[in-house]
Amino acid sequence: MRARAAVVMAAGKGTRMRSATAKVLHPVAGRPMIHYPVRDALALGAERVVVVLGHQREEVEAYLQAAFAGQPVTIAVQAEQLGTAHAVMCAAPALAGFEGDVFILSGDVPTLPRQVLEALDATAGEAVVGVLGMLLDDPAQYGRLVRDGADELVRICEARDCSATQLAIREVNAGVYRVDAAFLFDTLGRLGRDNAQGEYYLTDLVEAAAKAGRGVTALVLDGAHAEQAHGVNDRVDLARAEARMQARLADELMRAGVTLVDPRRFRVDDGVEVGADTVIEPDVALLGATHIGRGCILEQGVRLSDTQVEEGAVLHAYTVCDRARVGPRTHVGPFARLREGTVLGQGVRVGNFVETKKAALGEGAKAQHLSYLGDCEVGAGANVGAGTITCNYDGVDKHRTVIGAGAFIGSDTQLVAPVTVGEGALVGAGTTVTEDVPAGALAISRAPQKNIEGWVARRRSRPGGQG
Ligand code: UD1
Ligand code: CA
């Protein structure tokens, strides 16, 4: 195979997004759009990937450095946007000495499948220029693919430079190419900008190659395939790109054995993994680095970010988890909130209106109703009664609560941290625990109950009394 490199054009301003954020940093399936062409170029075996940046380049550069650290991704700066040919010229120094094929991609085309780039390469074969085209009912402002009498591609004509006959052409340029490096950099330096926009047009490569008899090919996508090559210029395009990506990711999960009760009412980020035989009800969102094991059930409205769920776990309706781990066959919710650093072991039960943060619950532990468990450890088999609160914050610092294995915490207990309840200890309902409880002990802090006979009737008979 010939050596490969890539140039990703992303210097444009993206005015139509009407955004303070750089266009290519707007997310699709949870990743900035620029992620996809860069990742695909690397996956194609590009030995160098040069991203051409201009507007808001610091933010984009910071993202790329973090996301592709250690990989051959470099930045080229196009200070002034003089056109697509000029953008690629700006990448030339970073590709000095490279011989082989250069894939030229766009930073704002996030849904193009990598296989299309492989197909573009195969179609281009020995040609010096391979162009990706789309057959559209409405060719809009795209550059038209102009063919000669023998149906050979001879030129790309920008809409603004087209004759009326050319405007009727429905085959257009998607803005994605595979070009021989030597031909590319020889030719780019010689292109003029005598056109309606006064810009250096990358598309002029096609005419140059055709005239030199060096071979030009087009791979033209149609129907739904053409849509995958659509770029993002405004928020309407962004929503369409998101919808295409969601449909693709949902299809992949279903083909891998996941049941999606309603794939259109499901949101998933790129990179999320779900095991076979997991069933996902409508309105579930799986975000970030979330991994779900086999045979789990995610009921309606579950939202998970950066969360690990092991096999056979059941997340009941409207459970929200962030940076949490849920052990095998554990049940959570409905209406539970697991926050960062929650680690639930095997067979744990966390019920409705329970909030956890930096909480480790051992195998078989239970906290079934209305609790706040923060900065704490709950031993295996312990039972945390309804309304239990770990008072972990004294207004200045956070403190830990430790509940031993098999302990029983009665309802409406407050555990004022730092505090430890020993193994097998029992805390009576309504207790405020301020001191450590030894293993096996009973702790109870309620004031003794007092019953006053006839009190209600006497109050009613007083002047101003109710009744
Ligand atoms: C270009 C093509 C057109 C094609 C269309 C597909 C040219 C002359 N025309 O149109 O045939 O149908 O793409 O979307 O190439 N960019 C830079 N620097 C620049 C100019 C553009 O980095 O100086 C980047 C943009 O950020 C964008 C990409 O290149 O990622 C395409 O630019 P855009 O202005 O959207 O495309 P057009 O020139 O309209
Ligand atoms: Ca565009």
Side-chain angles (χ1 to χ4, degrees):
M1 193 177 80
R2 280 161 57 83
R4 290 171 166 182
V7 175
V8 181
M9 296 183 288
K13 193 160 181 202
T15 314
R16 282 172 284 166
M17 292 299 282
R18 297 183 183 277
S19 177
T21 302
K23 175 165 86 170
V24 296
L25 291 185
H26 281 262
V28 171
R31 297 194 198 278
M33 299 187 227
I34 188 76
H35 186 91
Y36 297 101
V38 174
R39 176 177 78 182
D40 288 343
L42 291 169
L44 287 170
E47 50 192 63
R48 294 183 226 176
V49 179
V50 186
V51 184
V52 182
L53 300 177
H55 286 281
Q56 294 169 294
R57 86 180 152 85
E58 289 82 6
E59 295 141 70
V60 184
E61 189 171 354
Y63 170 73
L64 291 170
Q65 276 171 355
F68 297 101
Q71 300 190 67
V73 177
T74 55
I75 306 300
V77 177
Q78 186 191 26
E80 223 188 329
Q81 280 73 58
L82 302 177
T84 45
H86 180 250
V88 177
M89 274 304 277
C90 293
L95 290 177
F98 173 79
E99 286 174 29
D101 291 320
V102 181
F103 285 86
I104 302 175
L105 311 174
S106 226
D108 58 4
V109 181
T111 63
L112 190 68
R114 186 180 308 155
Q115 297 85 319
V116 171
L117 297 174
E118 289 289 7
L120 173 67
D121 181 66
T123 309
E126 301 293 305
V128 291
V129 179
V131 177
L132 186 66
M134 309 183 278
L135 181 66
L136 302 179
D137 290 335
D138 174 15
Q141 289 305 302
Y142 285 105
R144 307 301 201 260
L145 302 190
V146 180
R147 294 178 186 268
D148 65 10
D151 213 28
E152 297 292 335
L153 182 60
V154 289
R155 187 179 323 122
I156 294 176
C157 196
E158 292 307 295
R160 288 196 237 187
D161 301 305
C162 277
S163 67
T165 338
Q166 286 169 335
L167 276 178
I169 297 173
R170 289 171 51 223
E171 276 188 336
V172 301
N173 172 26
V176 170
Y177 319 82
R178 192 212 76 180
V179 188
D180 172 72
F183 175 80
L184 177 66
F185 294 114
D186 280 354
T187 313
L188 281 182
R190 290 190 270 111
L191 297 181
R193 51 165 159 173
D194 179 19
N195 53 56
Q197 299 181 82
E199 287 184 358
Y200 295 99
Y201 283 175
L202 185 60
T203 45
D204 288 349
L205 284 179
V206 170
E207 189 168 16
K211 279 190 173 152
R214 298 293 305 278
V216 189
T217 64
L219 170 65
V220 180
L221 307 173
D222 59 11
H225 295 287
E227 276 174 31
Q228 296 178 324
H230 282 350
V232 173
N233 291 309
D234 61 21
R235 310 247 184 177
V236 175
D237 296 333
L238 181 66
R240 288 180 179 148
E242 182 72 40
R244 290 194 294 277
M245 196 70 107
Q246 290 298 321
R248 186 189 304 165
L249 294 171
D251 285 357
E252 283 172 13
L253 288 176
M254 290 187 284
R255 295 215 166 85
V258 176
T259 295
L260 295 179
V261 173
D262 184 348
R264 288 159 306 173
R265 286 169 61 192
F266 170 58
R267 178 176 164 206
V268 66
D269 278 353
D270 180 78
V272 166
E273 291 170 6
V274 185
D277 286 322
T278 285
V279 175
I280 300 180
E281 293 188 358
D283 305 329
V284 167
L286 303 180
L287 310 176
T290 288
H291 300 255
I292 313 289
R294 302 170 75 91
C296 295
I297 298 173
L298 308 185
E299 289 184 359
Q300 175 115 4
V302 166
R303 181 187 168 99
L304 308 180
S305 38
D306 301 327
T307 288
Q308 267 54 252
V309 179
E310 293 184 56
E311 60 174 342
V314 179
L315 303 191
H316 295 287
Y318 304 103
T319 287
V320 176
C321 305
D322 179 32
R323 287 164 284 167
R325 299 181 66 100
V326 176
R329 292 170 294 287
T330 281
H331 287 228
V332 183
F335 302 104
R337 180 174 182 213
L338 308 187
R339 293 168 51 204
E340 74 276 12
T342 295
V343 180
L344 307 184
Q346 182 173 320
V348 168
R349 294 284 181 277
V350 168
N352 40 234
F353 309 111
V354 173
E355 175 185 350
T356 64
K357 186 215 72 175
K358 291 187 185 155
L361 275 66
E363 181 171 350
K366 292 179 184 164
Q368 303 260 50
H369 329 269
L370 296 166
S371 279
Y372 172 63
L373 299 174
D375 300 297
C376 69
E377 194 183 309
V378 178
N383 192 327
V384 176
T388 296
I389 307 286
T390 53
C391 309
N392 59 328
Y393 186 48
D394 60 13
V396 181
D397 294 314
K398 300 280 172 69
H399 302 284
R400 282 183 67 73
T401 298
V402 177
I403 297 173
F408 183 97
I409 311 296
S411 295
D412 195 27
T413 291
Q414 300 96 50
L415 297 146
V416 182
V419 75
T420 297
V421 176
E423 281 188 22
L426 194 152
V427 176
T431 293
T432 300
V433 181
T434 53
E435 284 166 34
D436 290 353
V437 181
L442 165 70
I444 190 152
S445 72
R446 300 192 289 256
Q449 182 171 328
K450 186 161 78 167
N451 293 338
I452 303 173
E453 295 290 341
W455 184 90
V456 174
R458 285 201 296 282
R459 186 185 63 173
R460 283 191 187 140
S461 63
R462 279 203 308 262
Q466 288 188 330

